[in-house]
Amino acid sequence: MAGVDRRTVLKGVGGAAALGVSAFAVTRFDTPDREQDPATCSAEDISATDKRLVFSNWPEYIDEDDGDYVSTLTQFEKDTGIKVRYTADVNDNNEFFAKVSNQLGSCSSSKRDLFALTDWMAARMIQVGWIQKLDATKVPNLHANIIDSLKSPDWDPKREYSAPWQSGLTGIAYNKAKVGEIKSFKELLTRKDLKGRISLLTEMRDTMAFLLLIDGADPANFTPDQWDTAVDLLRKARSDGQVRSFTGNEYVQDLASGNVVACEAWSGDIANAGDENLVWIPPEEGIIIWADNMLVPNLATHQANAERLIDYYYEPEVAAKLAAYNSFICPVKGAQEAMQDVDPEQVDNELIFPTEETLSKTHRFMALDEATMRTYEGDFADVTGA
């Protein structure tokens, strides 16, 4: 699930079970008039007198109150007195970009204090000047507890502008009540019993990474010819009627209802679905690993409140509680130890704390310059109909 769209790729590295951030090149928007200076495109912070916060995030990404269970967000509100308007309206990086680009590109308010986006989109927004610098003194837990592999990405080496929310894996999911086991992405695209009954992700880098792997190409280092071959494979699957739809997070509902019986999927979404018939697997071709990042946009009026929330989620006990609920990879040091008290059965859950063996199967997507990125996104859109 990360250099991959929703999910920009992190690559497994040697040594103890660690995640390695992809060398993701930061590209510039080709519209200089939309670049901003965060120092001058800022608003008065009214956090001290207005205990509120607006946070946009991805669906199925946070724990919720349930009977006697008090969610991490509710506990934050109780502890701080800050009321959070939490909205799961980030369904796709490009889709969310379209929601806020006119405002942020013209130094207008997006009416949000915090949102979470994948590495590649976070990098672009930071470079174009749409994101406020965090006050390091207000997020000490972030700098003390972030796992080493996420500490210094190329696009924000000191984590001055961003804080990982969660990481995860991209693979395959299927409904075992509707279809037999699926082992590979190639099967997903070719098995006759799956025709018209699968979905793929709208995130170009996620989906195309697997198409490249099917043909034996390395998503982190491929040629234009290999790209064309991968696009042709996708085009054939679409024209043959194999693919029912290209989706963002809504694929979970389609899979549970039987609208599709198998799909490309993010690991934590399936673990969170609460349906024992839904199974997530790492495809034989390999898996993708990603991270989403919390960002404070220009003209946010509650930055100090947002920073307090960021710091709260970097407490190991809080991070463990969140990870136990949503089963995404935890970016916080000490969370695995804290998990012993939160939920001992999750201490060795590879979806939360992946082993070196799992990480050795991960891939990243090649860094693209702006012109190539636009070409490739156009190729992908031509097939998906976006």
Side-chain angles (χ1 to χ4, degrees):
M1 294 170 157
V4 180
D5 255 43
R6 168 181 179 173
R7 319 293 199 180
T8 287
V9 188
L10 308 175
K11 190 177 184 228
V13 297
L19 300 179
V21 181
S22 64
F24 198 81
V26 181
T27 55
R28 300 192 69 82
F29 291 100
D30 61 358
T31 52
D33 58 304
R34 295 206 292 179
E35 293 186 15
Q36 302 295 332
D37 179 357
T40 58
C41 186
S42 61
E44 178 186 0
D45 191 344
I46 59 174
S47 295
T49 57
D50 190 10
K51 297 295 185 181
R52 292 185 298 147
L53 167 65
V54 180
F55 183 11
S56 286
N57 206 346
W58 297 78
E60 308 292 339
Y61 224 11
I62 197 169
D63 54 328
E64 299 178 355
D65 296 328
D66 185 9
D68 293 335
Y69 178 85
V70 178
S71 71
T72 55
L73 193 59
T74 294
Q75 192 62 53
F76 171 79
E77 292 180 328
K78 289 181 177 181
D79 291 347
T80 64
I82 297 170
K83 181 65 177 177
V84 181
R85 182 154 66 87
Y86 181 93
T87 307
D89 62 344
V90 184
N91 189 56
D92 171 288
N93 280 292
N94 285 319
E95 180 182 293
F96 186 79
F97 173 80
K99 291 180 182 180
V100 300
S101 59
N102 287 340
Q103 290 84 5
L104 295 177
S106 62
C107 191
S108 300
S109 174
S110 67
K111 303 188 184 304
R112 296 169 173 86
D113 300 296
L114 194 66
F115 49 65
L117 297 174
T118 308
D119 290 351
W120 72 275
M121 183 59 82
R124 295 181 73 188
M125 285 197 171
I126 290 169
Q127 187 181 29
V128 84
W130 293 0
I131 304 301
Q132 291 289 304
K133 182 179 288 189
L134 301 174
D135 183 341
T137 66
K138 294 180 179 177
V139 288
N141 287 332
L142 165 64
H143 296 290
N145 297 334
I146 187 171
I147 59 177
D148 291 342
S149 57
L150 291 176
K151 186 174 289 186
S152 301
D154 292 348
W155 46 271
D156 190 13
K158 296 181 180 180
R159 285 294 181 186
E160 294 178 296
Y161 294 90
S162 63
W165 169 255
Q166 301 280 268
S167 295
L169 305 170
T170 308
I172 292 172
Y174 64 94
N175 188 328
K176 67 181 183 181
K178 306 289 185 180
V179 71
E181 182 182 15
I182 300 165
K183 297 181 179 180
S184 70
F185 214 84
K186 185 175 182 179
E187 279 187 70
L188 196 67
L189 297 184
T190 59
R191 262 178 45 178
K192 292 182 178 180
D193 63 320
L194 301 179
K195 185 174 181 178
R197 307 172 77 194
I198 73 163
S199 66
L200 302 178
L201 294 171
T202 54
E203 300 284 354
M204 181 269 283
R205 292 164 179 81
D206 267 325
T207 298
M208 291 308 299
F210 285 113
L211 272 294
L212 288 158
L213 286 168
I214 287 174
D215 195 48
D218 180 358
N221 185 23
F222 58 88
T223 67
D225 286 345
Q226 288 173 322
W227 169 263
D228 290 342
T229 298
V231 172
D232 287 343
L233 284 173
L234 183 63
R235 183 177 291 109
K236 185 178 189 306
R238 183 69 189 271
S239 64
D240 286 349
Q242 189 77 5
V243 184
R244 183 179 189 271
S245 59
F246 291 84
T247 74
N249 269 94
E250 67 270 21
Y251 68 83
V252 179
Q253 290 76 27
D254 285 337
L255 188 63
S257 67
N259 289 335
V260 298
V261 297
C263 61
E264 183 181 9
W266 294 307
S267 55
D269 289 346
I270 302 305
N272 252 346
D275 187 334
E276 64 180 12
N277 288 318
L278 306 188
V279 180
W280 184 91
I281 63 159
E284 291 178 348
E285 292 89 353
I287 48 181
I288 308 302
I289 191 166
W290 49 263
D292 291 330
N293 304 270
M294 292 179 280
L295 308 164
V296 175
N298 288 351
L299 298 180
T301 53
H302 303 87
Q303 178 164 339
N305 291 344
E307 290 165 337
R308 196 163 181 185
L309 184 141
I310 290 170
D311 201 56
Y312 168 78
Y313 276 100
Y314 270 78
E315 295 175 10
E317 295 77 14
V318 175
K321 185 176 178 179
L322 174 62
Y325 190 96
N326 68 17
S327 295
F328 283 102
I329 295 173
C330 182
V332 180
K333 286 180 182 178
Q336 189 164 18
E337 291 77 8
M339 188 67 80
Q340 190 65 52
D341 294 326
V342 173
D343 186 348
E345 293 183 359
Q346 300 276 35
V347 170
D348 296 318
N349 184 345
E350 280 208 67
L351 296 181
I352 301 173
F353 309 110
T355 64
E356 182 179 358
E357 181 182 358
T358 296
L359 295 171
S360 70
K361 300 173 184 176
T362 61
H363 296 270
R364 64 182 178 87
F365 196 90
M366 185 170 70
L368 304 175
D369 60 51
E370 186 78 9
T372 304
M373 181 189 68
R374 290 182 179 278
T375 297
Y376 286 179
E377 287 183 345
D379 293 342
F380 185 68
D382 285 344
V383 177
T384 64

